[in-house]
Amino acid sequence: GPIRSGAQRWLNIGGLNFQPAEFAKLTALLILTRYFVTHRDEIKSPKVFLTALGIILPYIGLIFLQPDLGSALVMVPLFLSLSFICGVKRKNLFILFFLGILFSPLFWYLLKDYQKQRLLVFLNPHIDPLGAGYTIIQAKIAIGSGRLWGKGWGSHLFSFLPESHTDFIFASLAEQGGFFGAGLVILIYYLLLKEIIWKGILSHNLAEKAIAGGIATLLFSHIFINIGMCLGILPVVGIPLPFISYGGSHLVVNMWALGIVSSLGRER
């Protein structure tokens, strides 16, 4: 695929560009769900847990190598939520979490230079205010300038805020709609996630519970990380805001995911 901004995340087939990582998220969810449901009778065994880990690690590794740190990180809560819902021993999850924390310092040496710089400016954006820290600073200015009711739709910092239509679109929304507009967006996300989770809770089918929980986890991870980036409470990792950020692959996959959710329980 073509290289853009130092990353090779896209494929061009028939004149259409798409991101395989977006489709991999939903694919990994369905494959893991099928594996866990098929082995539900031995779900507590370490073998099942390790095999499931072996299923998700190639996804994480290949996406990380593109590099696409954000999409790779989203796979982690997806795996943990599916494991928890399907009944994997909590002890195994705690061990995995502890090992992740233990070896996290080694992760630093796997990062590209620009990714290291993003983590450093997350701690202090003003160490490079005109470089890597510029976007974070401008996003905070955009959000703060919106105040309570916003500046009005159409009045935004498009010329000053990079990626205002993709990664930092929430900052643009907060500037135009203010606290009220940003809060309304978050409220709509809350209602959507509540409906998806409720679908899973009402189901007596383990596969349906896992699918609903997994899709809710994917959407929540994107929402939380994207808004956290704009507020400066999370590092910039390039995660789109579901149904709002520009990006065809992400939108198509999210619509597929909602289509799957709407079909859950249809046999009842």
Side-chain angles (χ1 to χ4, degrees):
I3 299 176
R4 302 176 188 172
S5 303
Q8 204 166 3
R9 304 174 186 173
W10 300 267
L11 287 178
N12 186 308
I13 298 179
L16 295 175
N17 287 312
F18 67 94
Q19 285 185 276
E22 295 297 336
F23 297 90
K25 295 170 187 175
L26 190 57
T27 304
L29 187 160
L30 297 175
I31 290 175
L32 278 173
T33 297
R34 176 155 181 98
Y35 177 76
F36 280 135
V37 171
T38 304
H39 296 82
R40 69 175 72 186
D41 294 334
E42 44 185 335
I43 195 69
K44 301 292 184 182
S45 72
K47 179 184 175 182
V48 170
F49 179 72
L50 291 174
T51 304
L53 195 59
I55 292 173
I56 197 71
L57 283 178
Y59 283 92
I60 296 174
L62 291 171
I63 293 172
F64 177 78
L65 290 174
Q66 292 182 351
D68 187 351
L69 180 59
S71 294
L73 288 176
V74 165
M75 291 289 193
V76 176
L78 172 64
F79 176 78
L80 295 176
S81 66
L82 288 177
S83 300
F84 180 79
I85 293 170
C86 291
V88 168
K89 269 188 178 181
R90 294 185 184 181
K91 176 184 175 182
N92 295 332
L93 297 177
F94 281 124
I95 292 174
L96 181 64
F97 179 77
F98 175 76
L99 290 175
I101 296 297
L102 184 64
F103 290 102
S104 58
L106 300 176
F107 181 67
W108 174 264
Y109 298 100
L110 300 175
L111 297 176
K112 302 286 186 181
D113 290 338
Y114 78 90
Q115 292 172 326
K116 293 179 180 179
Q117 188 67 13
R118 283 182 176 181
L119 290 177
L120 291 175
V121 297
F122 161 66
L123 299 174
N124 182 11
H126 296 282
I127 64 174
D128 190 11
L130 298 178
Y134 179 79
T135 309
I136 299 176
I137 295 171
Q138 293 301 316
K140 290 181 180 180
I141 292 173
I143 292 172
S145 66
R147 299 194 176 185
L148 185 61
W149 299 107
K151 293 181 176 179
W153 301 109
S155 107
H156 41 69
L157 287 173
F158 269 118
S159 56
F160 300 103
L161 179 62
E163 307 297 337
S164 57
H165 62 300
T166 53
D167 296 345
F168 287 90
I169 198 167
F170 182 79
S172 180
L173 285 171
E175 183 191 12
Q176 296 176 75
F179 180 82
F180 175 79
L184 182 62
V185 170
I186 294 174
L187 175 62
I188 293 172
Y189 278 135
Y190 164 75
L191 295 175
L192 175 63
L193 292 173
K194 180 184 175 184
E195 283 297 314
I196 295 173
I197 293 171
W198 194 242
K199 272 259 190 182
I201 291 174
L202 291 178
S203 176
H204 299 292
N205 185 302
L206 179 60
E208 292 186 359
K209 286 181 181 292
I211 289 173
I215 290 174
T217 300
L218 280 178
L219 290 175
F220 175 78
S221 298
H222 280 80
I223 295 165
F224 182 78
I225 294 174
N226 183 277
I227 295 178
M229 288 190 321
C230 294
L231 295 174
I233 61 174
L234 289 176
V236 177
V237 291
I239 284 288
L241 193 62
F243 305 108
I244 297 179
S245 290
Y246 175 85
S249 299
H250 186 66
L251 178 61
V252 167
V253 171
N254 283 338
M255 296 300 284
W256 282 356
L258 290 190
I260 293 172
V261 170
S262 68
S263 72
L264 299 181
R266 61 186 176 183
E267 76 279 0
R268 296 192 299 273

Short mmCIF file of all heavy atoms in Angstrom, two decimals, residues 121-157:
data_model
loop_
_atom_site.label_atom_id
_atom_site.label_comp_id
_atom_site.label_asym_id
_atom_site.label_seq_id
_atom_site.Cartn_x
_atom_site.Cartn_y
_atom_site.Cartn_z
N VAL A 121 5.56 14.89 24.36
CA VAL A 121 4.78 16.13 24.36
C VAL A 121 3.45 15.94 25.09
O VAL A 121 2.83 16.92 25.51
CB VAL A 121 4.51 16.64 22.92
CG1 VAL A 121 5.82 16.98 22.23
CG2 VAL A 121 3.70 15.64 22.12
N PHE A 122 3.00 14.69 25.24
CA PHE A 122 1.81 14.44 26.07
C PHE A 122 2.09 14.84 27.51
O PHE A 122 1.24 15.45 28.18
CB PHE A 122 1.43 12.96 26.00
CG PHE A 122 0.54 12.50 27.11
CD1 PHE A 122 -0.75 12.98 27.23
CD2 PHE A 122 1.00 11.59 28.06
CE1 PHE A 122 -1.57 12.57 28.27
CE2 PHE A 122 0.19 11.17 29.09
CZ PHE A 122 -1.10 11.66 29.20
N LEU A 123 3.30 14.54 27.98
CA LEU A 123 3.69 14.92 29.34
C LEU A 123 3.88 16.43 29.46
O LEU A 123 3.55 17.02 30.48
CB LEU A 123 4.97 14.18 29.74
CG LEU A 123 4.88 12.65 29.75
CD1 LEU A 123 6.24 12.04 30.02
CD2 LEU A 123 3.87 12.19 30.79
N ASN A 124 4.40 17.05 28.40
CA ASN A 124 4.61 18.50 28.40
C ASN A 124 4.57 19.01 26.96
O ASN A 124 5.60 19.02 26.28
CB ASN A 124 5.94 18.86 29.05
CG ASN A 124 6.16 20.36 29.10
OD1 ASN A 124 5.24 21.15 28.83
ND2 ASN A 124 7.37 20.77 29.42
N PRO A 125 3.39 19.46 26.48
CA PRO A 125 3.27 19.91 25.08
C PRO A 125 4.19 21.09 24.75
O PRO A 125 4.52 21.31 23.59
CB PRO A 125 1.80 20.32 24.97
CG PRO A 125 1.10 19.61 26.09
CD PRO A 125 2.11 19.49 27.18
N HIS A 126 4.60 21.83 25.77
CA HIS A 126 5.36 23.05 25.52
C HIS A 126 6.84 22.79 25.29
O HIS A 126 7.60 23.74 25.06
CB HIS A 126 5.16 24.03 26.69
CG HIS A 126 3.75 24.51 26.81
ND1 HIS A 126 3.21 25.47 25.99
CD2 HIS A 126 2.74 24.10 27.65
CE1 HIS A 126 1.93 25.67 26.33
NE2 HIS A 126 1.64 24.85 27.32
N ILE A 127 7.27 21.52 25.35
CA ILE A 127 8.67 21.25 25.00
C ILE A 127 8.88 21.35 23.49
O ILE A 127 10.00 21.50 23.03
CB ILE A 127 9.13 19.86 25.51
CG1 ILE A 127 8.33 18.74 24.83
CG2 ILE A 127 9.04 19.77 27.03
CD1 ILE A 127 8.82 17.35 25.16
N ASP A 128 7.79 21.27 22.74
CA ASP A 128 7.87 21.42 21.28
C ASP A 128 6.58 22.07 20.79
O ASP A 128 5.79 21.47 20.06
CB ASP A 128 8.08 20.06 20.61
CG ASP A 128 8.42 20.17 19.13
OD1 ASP A 128 8.69 21.30 18.68
OD2 ASP A 128 8.40 19.13 18.43
N PRO A 129 6.35 23.34 21.19
CA PRO A 129 5.05 23.99 20.92
C PRO A 129 4.76 24.22 19.44
O PRO A 129 3.60 24.35 19.06
CB PRO A 129 5.16 25.32 21.68
CG PRO A 129 6.62 25.58 21.77
CD PRO A 129 7.27 24.23 21.91
N LEU A 130 5.79 24.27 18.61
CA LEU A 130 5.58 24.50 17.19
C LEU A 130 5.73 23.23 16.36
O LEU A 130 5.62 23.26 15.14
CB LEU A 130 6.55 25.57 16.67
CG LEU A 130 6.41 26.96 17.31
CD1 LEU A 130 7.46 27.91 16.75
CD2 LEU A 130 5.00 27.52 17.10
N GLY A 131 5.98 22.11 17.06
CA GLY A 131 6.16 20.84 16.38
C GLY A 131 5.12 19.83 16.83
O GLY A 131 3.92 19.98 16.61
N ALA A 132 5.60 18.79 17.54
CA ALA A 132 4.71 17.70 17.96
C ALA A 132 3.65 18.15 18.95
O ALA A 132 2.56 17.57 19.02
CB ALA A 132 5.54 16.56 18.57
N GLY A 133 3.95 19.19 19.74
CA GLY A 133 2.99 19.66 20.74
C GLY A 133 1.98 20.66 20.20
O GLY A 133 1.04 21.04 20.91
N TYR A 134 2.16 21.09 18.94
CA TYR A 134 1.32 22.14 18.37
C TYR A 134 -0.16 21.73 18.33
O TYR A 134 -1.04 22.50 18.71
CB TYR A 134 1.81 22.47 16.96
CG TYR A 134 1.01 23.53 16.26
CD1 TYR A 134 1.19 24.88 16.55
CD2 TYR A 134 0.05 23.19 15.31
CE1 TYR A 134 0.45 25.86 15.91
CE2 TYR A 134 -0.70 24.16 14.65
CZ TYR A 134 -0.49 25.49 14.95
OH TYR A 134 -1.24 26.45 14.32
N THR A 135 -0.42 20.52 17.86
CA THR A 135 -1.80 20.07 17.70
C THR A 135 -2.52 20.00 19.05
O THR A 135 -3.68 20.40 19.16
CB THR A 135 -1.85 18.70 17.01
OG1 THR A 135 -1.06 18.73 15.83
CG2 THR A 135 -3.27 18.33 16.65
N ILE A 136 -1.84 19.47 20.07
CA ILE A 136 -2.47 19.36 21.39
C ILE A 136 -2.81 20.74 21.94
O ILE A 136 -3.90 20.97 22.48
CB ILE A 136 -1.52 18.62 22.36
CG1 ILE A 136 -1.23 17.21 21.85
CG2 ILE A 136 -2.12 18.57 23.76
CD1 ILE A 136 -0.23 16.45 22.68
N ILE A 137 -1.87 21.68 21.81
CA ILE A 137 -2.10 23.04 22.31
C ILE A 137 -3.26 23.70 21.58
O ILE A 137 -4.16 24.30 22.20
CB ILE A 137 -0.82 23.89 22.16
CG1 ILE A 137 0.30 23.33 23.05
CG2 ILE A 137 -1.09 25.35 22.48
CD1 ILE A 137 1.65 23.96 22.82
N GLN A 138 -3.29 23.56 20.25
CA GLN A 138 -4.37 24.17 19.47
C GLN A 138 -5.72 23.52 19.76
O GLN A 138 -6.75 24.20 19.75
CB GLN A 138 -4.05 24.06 17.97
CG GLN A 138 -2.85 24.89 17.53
CD GLN A 138 -3.03 26.36 17.81
OE1 GLN A 138 -4.10 26.92 17.57
NE2 GLN A 138 -2.00 27.00 18.32
N ALA A 139 -5.71 22.21 20.02
CA ALA A 139 -6.97 21.53 20.35
C ALA A 139 -7.55 22.06 21.66
O ALA A 139 -8.76 22.30 21.76
CB ALA A 139 -6.74 20.02 20.45
N LYS A 140 -6.70 22.27 22.65
CA LYS A 140 -7.16 22.82 23.93
C LYS A 140 -7.69 24.24 23.75
O LYS A 140 -8.70 24.62 24.36
CB LYS A 140 -6.01 22.80 24.94
CG LYS A 140 -5.61 21.41 25.42
CD LYS A 140 -4.49 21.52 26.42
CE LYS A 140 -4.06 20.16 26.94
NZ LYS A 140 -2.96 20.26 27.92
N ILE A 141 -7.00 25.03 22.93
CA ILE A 141 -7.45 26.40 22.67
C ILE A 141 -8.82 26.37 22.00
O ILE A 141 -9.73 27.14 22.36
CB ILE A 141 -6.43 27.14 21.78
CG1 ILE A 141 -5.13 27.37 22.56
CG2 ILE A 141 -7.00 28.48 21.30
CD1 ILE A 141 -4.01 27.95 21.72
N ALA A 142 -8.99 25.48 21.02
CA ALA A 142 -10.27 25.38 20.31
C ALA A 142 -11.39 24.99 21.25
O ALA A 142 -12.48 25.59 21.22
CB ALA A 142 -10.15 24.37 19.18
N ILE A 143 -11.15 24.00 22.11
CA ILE A 143 -12.18 23.54 23.06
C ILE A 143 -12.52 24.65 24.04
O ILE A 143 -13.70 24.93 24.31
CB ILE A 143 -11.70 22.28 23.80
CG1 ILE A 143 -11.61 21.10 22.83
CG2 ILE A 143 -12.66 21.93 24.94
CD1 ILE A 143 -10.97 19.86 23.42
N GLY A 144 -11.50 25.29 24.59
CA GLY A 144 -11.74 26.35 25.57
C GLY A 144 -12.43 27.56 24.98
O GLY A 144 -13.26 28.21 25.64
N SER A 145 -12.13 27.88 23.72
CA SER A 145 -12.72 29.07 23.11
C SER A 145 -14.20 28.91 22.84
O SER A 145 -14.93 29.88 22.66
CB SER A 145 -11.99 29.40 21.80
OG SER A 145 -12.21 28.38 20.83
N GLY A 146 -14.68 27.65 22.82
CA GLY A 146 -16.10 27.42 22.59
C GLY A 146 -16.96 27.81 23.77
O GLY A 146 -18.16 28.07 23.62
N ARG A 147 -16.37 27.80 24.97
CA ARG A 147 -17.08 28.15 26.21
C ARG A 147 -18.39 27.36 26.34
O ARG A 147 -18.40 26.16 26.07
CB ARG A 147 -17.31 29.65 26.27
CG ARG A 147 -16.02 30.45 26.27
CD ARG A 147 -16.23 31.88 26.65
NE ARG A 147 -14.95 32.57 26.72
CZ ARG A 147 -14.82 33.82 27.12
NH1 ARG A 147 -15.90 34.51 27.47
NH2 ARG A 147 -13.62 34.38 27.16
N LEU A 148 -19.48 28.03 26.75
CA LEU A 148 -20.70 27.29 27.05
C LEU A 148 -21.52 26.94 25.80
O LEU A 148 -21.92 25.80 25.60
CB LEU A 148 -21.57 28.09 28.01
CG LEU A 148 -22.85 27.39 28.51
CD1 LEU A 148 -22.51 26.11 29.26
CD2 LEU A 148 -23.67 28.33 29.40
N TRP A 149 -21.74 27.92 24.92
CA TRP A 149 -22.64 27.72 23.79
C TRP A 149 -21.92 27.63 22.46
O TRP A 149 -22.53 27.36 21.43
CB TRP A 149 -23.68 28.84 23.72
CG TRP A 149 -24.53 28.88 24.94
CD1 TRP A 149 -24.49 29.80 25.93
CD2 TRP A 149 -25.56 27.95 25.31
NE1 TRP A 149 -25.41 29.51 26.91
CE2 TRP A 149 -26.08 28.38 26.55
CE3 TRP A 149 -26.08 26.80 24.72
CZ2 TRP A 149 -27.09 27.69 27.20
CZ3 TRP A 149 -27.09 26.12 25.38
CH2 TRP A 149 -27.59 26.56 26.60
N GLY A 150 -20.61 27.90 22.43
CA GLY A 150 -19.85 27.79 21.19
C GLY A 150 -19.87 29.05 20.36
O GLY A 150 -20.64 29.99 20.62
N LYS A 151 -19.04 29.07 19.34
CA LYS A 151 -18.94 30.23 18.45
C LYS A 151 -19.94 30.17 17.31
O LYS A 151 -20.04 31.10 16.52
CB LYS A 151 -17.53 30.30 17.87
CG LYS A 151 -16.44 30.60 18.89
CD LYS A 151 -15.09 30.66 18.19
CE LYS A 151 -13.99 31.06 19.15
NZ LYS A 151 -12.67 31.10 18.48
N GLY A 152 -20.63 29.07 17.20
CA GLY A 152 -21.57 28.91 16.09
C GLY A 152 -21.00 27.99 15.02
O GLY A 152 -19.80 27.97 14.79
N TRP A 153 -21.86 27.22 14.38
CA TRP A 153 -21.42 26.25 13.39
C TRP A 153 -20.84 26.96 12.18
O TRP A 153 -21.42 27.90 11.66
CB TRP A 153 -22.58 25.35 12.98
CG TRP A 153 -23.15 24.61 14.14
CD1 TRP A 153 -24.35 24.81 14.73
CD2 TRP A 153 -22.50 23.58 14.88
NE1 TRP A 153 -24.50 23.97 15.80
CE2 TRP A 153 -23.38 23.20 15.92
CE3 TRP A 153 -21.26 22.95 14.79
CZ2 TRP A 153 -23.08 22.22 16.84
CZ3 TRP A 153 -20.95 21.97 15.71
CH2 TRP A 153 -21.85 21.60 16.72
N GLY A 154 -19.69 26.52 11.76
CA GLY A 154 -19.02 27.12 10.63
C GLY A 154 -17.90 28.03 11.02
O GLY A 154 -17.06 28.40 10.21
N SER A 155 -17.85 28.42 12.32
CA SER A 155 -16.75 29.27 12.76
C SER A 155 -15.81 28.40 13.56
O SER A 155 -16.11 27.99 14.67
CB SER A 155 -17.32 30.42 13.56
OG SER A 155 -17.10 30.35 14.87
N HIS A 156 -14.68 28.05 12.98
CA HIS A 156 -13.77 27.11 13.62
C HIS A 156 -12.33 27.41 13.24
O HIS A 156 -12.05 28.31 12.44
CB HIS A 156 -14.11 25.67 13.23
CG HIS A 156 -14.47 25.52 11.79
ND1 HIS A 156 -13.56 25.68 10.79
CD2 HIS A 156 -15.66 25.26 11.20
CE1 HIS A 156 -14.15 25.50 9.62
NE2 HIS A 156 -15.42 25.25 9.84
N LEU A 157 -11.42 26.66 13.81
CA LEU A 157 -9.99 26.90 13.60
C LEU A 157 -9.41 25.96 12.55
O LEU A 157 -8.37 25.37 12.75
CB LEU A 157 -9.24 26.70 14.92
CG LEU A 157 -9.42 27.80 15.97
CD1 LEU A 157 -8.78 27.38 17.27
CD2 LEU A 157 -8.85 29.12 15.51
#
